[in-house]
Amino acid sequence: MKLQRKNRRALALGVLAVSGALALTACGSDDTGGKSDAAGGGSTTASNSSVKCDGAKGQLLADGSSAQKNAIDAWVKQFSQACGTQINYKGGGSGAGVTAFSQGQVAFAGSDSALKPEEVEASKKVCTDGQGIDLPMVGGPIAVGYNLSGVDDLVLDAPTLAKIFDGKVTTWDAPEIKKLNPKAKLPSLKIQAFHRSDESGTTDNFTKYLKAAAPNDWKYSGGKAWQAQGGQAAPQSSGVAQQVKQTNGAIGYFELSYAKDVHTVAIDTGASAPVKATVENASKAIADAKVVGTGKDLSLQLNYTTKAEGAYPMVLVTYEIVCDKGNKSDTLPATKAFLRYIASQDGQNVLTQKDYAPIPDAIISKVRTTIEGLS
């Protein structure tokens, strides 16, 4: 009996050893999803995605844009399964992310606005011999969601949106709204306009659109903090979406991925037909963006006043902010591996499944090259 138990124990240990070896070798991959030699390259991947771990280990802390959190969550799931690296992305908003990055509290940050000159200067304190740079990674439309009983289709233009969010148009049967929606049964109901309470790149891009497309009706300078008076505030995109969902007469702005259970506004851009907030329509607008960053910085200039057919003008691009040089040695391998995955074709393909728009090829190829040079 003792001999049998010893044999069974030896057999069990052997099976565990073989299983462990198979688990390690099964992780090897190249960028196309094919397996690579783990002994030779040290890369690892999950069986259902192209994730090259390349020494990634431990834990990464990150914070920032709530706009991209649904995408980050999907990416983290794939990456963590492949590499065993724990990534804690708080999604506290773009302002919080940039602050945490400049204070050296996170390995990377997400922001829906590129770094300002003073923020770049602040980043030099934590990026030894380098600075923070913007890597465009997630695109998508800023949807204007509304909750209005009996109205399933609604068209608004930039001037009317500006007046609504500035408290100048206060009821749903206002002449400006009626003119754009002659067939709709608009009630004499007070408009409940919701904006972000926290500093937000979504707010920054939304107000950039209003400023560019309705300069006579939106007189504020813009930025991550909401400047107009009146209205009601809620934290993060999820908070604004929830308030719109539960309040009849409400309207608010948030990313399309948060608009699952609410109606969204079609925008009259001056094209032949109003444009809905869709991934495809946002991609048409993002493709018109120009890289205006210098050096390794890849910040973009968006065209908020496009009148191209089918182009949805109210878009944002979320940047991952990281040091070009001077990243912490204990987090650099995992940071590069994660960024490499989310910039890969497989990583970008995840975006369309989550109602985001992939970054156009001409831009994302530059992102991939820049990631490889991070040090």
Side-chain angles (χ1 to χ4, degrees):
M1 292 295 293
K2 289 183 179 180
L3 181 59
Q4 289 177 339
R5 283 197 296 271
K6 287 182 179 180
N7 288 340
R8 286 198 296 269
R9 183 170 181 270
L11 178 61
L13 290 173
V15 169
L16 286 172
V18 172
S19 299
L22 288 172
L24 289 173
T25 56
C27 289
S29 172
D30 55 29
D31 235 5
T32 61
K35 296 179 180 179
S36 64
D37 185 353
S43 299
T44 59
T45 184
S47 60
N48 61 344
S49 65
S50 297
V51 184
K52 297 174 65 176
C53 298
D54 290 340
K57 59 182 179 180
Q59 183 182 36
L60 282 184
L61 298 179
D63 195 4
S65 166
S66 65
Q68 70 167 355
K69 191 171 188 308
N70 290 336
I72 289 283
D73 288 347
W75 282 330
V76 166
K77 181 179 180 181
Q78 294 291 338
F79 187 80
S80 297
Q81 286 177 349
C83 305
T85 303
Q86 181 181 352
I87 300 178
N88 182 5
Y89 183 82
K90 291 176 63 177
S94 297
V98 172
T99 298
F101 180 77
S102 64
Q103 294 177 351
Q105 299 172 356
V106 293
F108 70 91
S111 177
D112 306 322
S113 301
L115 291 170
K116 297 178 180 177
E118 61 268 25
E119 292 170 338
V120 173
E121 194 62 31
S123 73
K124 294 179 181 179
K125 297 178 182 179
V126 296
C127 301
T128 307
D129 297 324
Q131 66 179 50
I133 57 173
D134 303 286
L135 301 178
M137 202 71 74
V138 181
I142 300 174
V144 177
Y146 70 97
N147 181 348
L148 193 57
S149 296
V151 181
D152 296 336
D153 294 294
L154 187 70
V155 176
L156 295 174
D157 57 14
T160 306
L161 277 170
K163 292 173 184 175
I164 288 172
F165 281 91
D166 197 24
K168 302 294 173 54
V169 169
T170 58
T171 61
W172 282 107
D173 62 348
E176 295 91 337
I177 302 178
K178 279 187 173 181
K179 183 178 179 180
L180 291 164
N181 301 272
K183 296 181 180 180
K185 295 181 179 180
L186 297 166
S188 180
L189 180 68
K190 182 181 177 181
I191 296 174
Q192 306 278 355
F194 286 90
H195 58 264
R196 289 281 290 271
S197 61
D198 53 325
E199 288 200 356
S200 160
T202 311
T203 293
D204 190 17
N205 284 276
F206 178 62
T207 55
K208 280 179 179 176
Y209 164 74
L210 295 179
K211 186 178 178 181
N216 294 328
D217 298 291
W218 193 260
K219 301 295 186 180
Y220 304 97
S221 60
K224 292 187 179 74
W226 185 257
Q227 296 174 329
Q229 302 300 310
Q232 301 182 61
Q236 304 177 2
S237 294
S238 57
V240 175
Q242 183 60 33
Q243 289 297 325
V244 171
K245 181 180 177 181
Q246 66 188 22
T247 307
N248 187 34
I251 188 170
Y253 59 91
F254 35 80
E255 294 68 43
L256 184 62
S257 63
Y258 291 94
K260 296 294 186 183
D261 301 316
V262 297
H263 295 297
T264 59
V265 171
I267 303 298
D268 184 345
T269 64
S272 62
V275 186
K276 293 287 287 185
T278 68
V279 169
E280 294 77 15
N281 293 344
S283 294
K284 293 176 183 178
I286 295 172
D288 195 31
K290 298 179 181 179
V291 176
V292 294
T294 58
K296 294 183 178 180
D297 185 84
L298 296 174
S299 56
L300 303 176
Q301 183 179 68
L302 298 168
N303 181 8
Y304 295 104
T305 59
T306 180
K307 292 180 174 60
E309 295 297 326
Y312 185 81
M314 205 184 310
V315 296
L316 61 74
V317 170
T318 298
Y319 301 93
E320 310 311 331
I321 296 171
V322 67
C323 295
D324 59 352
K325 298 179 182 178
N327 291 279
K328 294 179 181 179
S329 59
D330 57 337
T331 59
L332 178 60
T335 299
K336 287 183 69 171
F338 182 66
L339 294 178
R340 181 186 295 119
Y341 162 59
I342 68 178
S344 71
Q345 184 174 344
D346 277 6
Q348 289 290 295
N349 285 344
V350 169
L351 294 177
T352 56
Q353 303 167 20
K354 299 295 180 180
D355 289 327
Y356 295 101
I359 301 300
D361 290 341
I363 299 172
I364 201 66
S365 62
K366 296 178 181 178
V367 173
R368 293 166 184 158
T369 299
T370 302
I371 289 169
E372 296 306 320
L374 300 179
S375 62

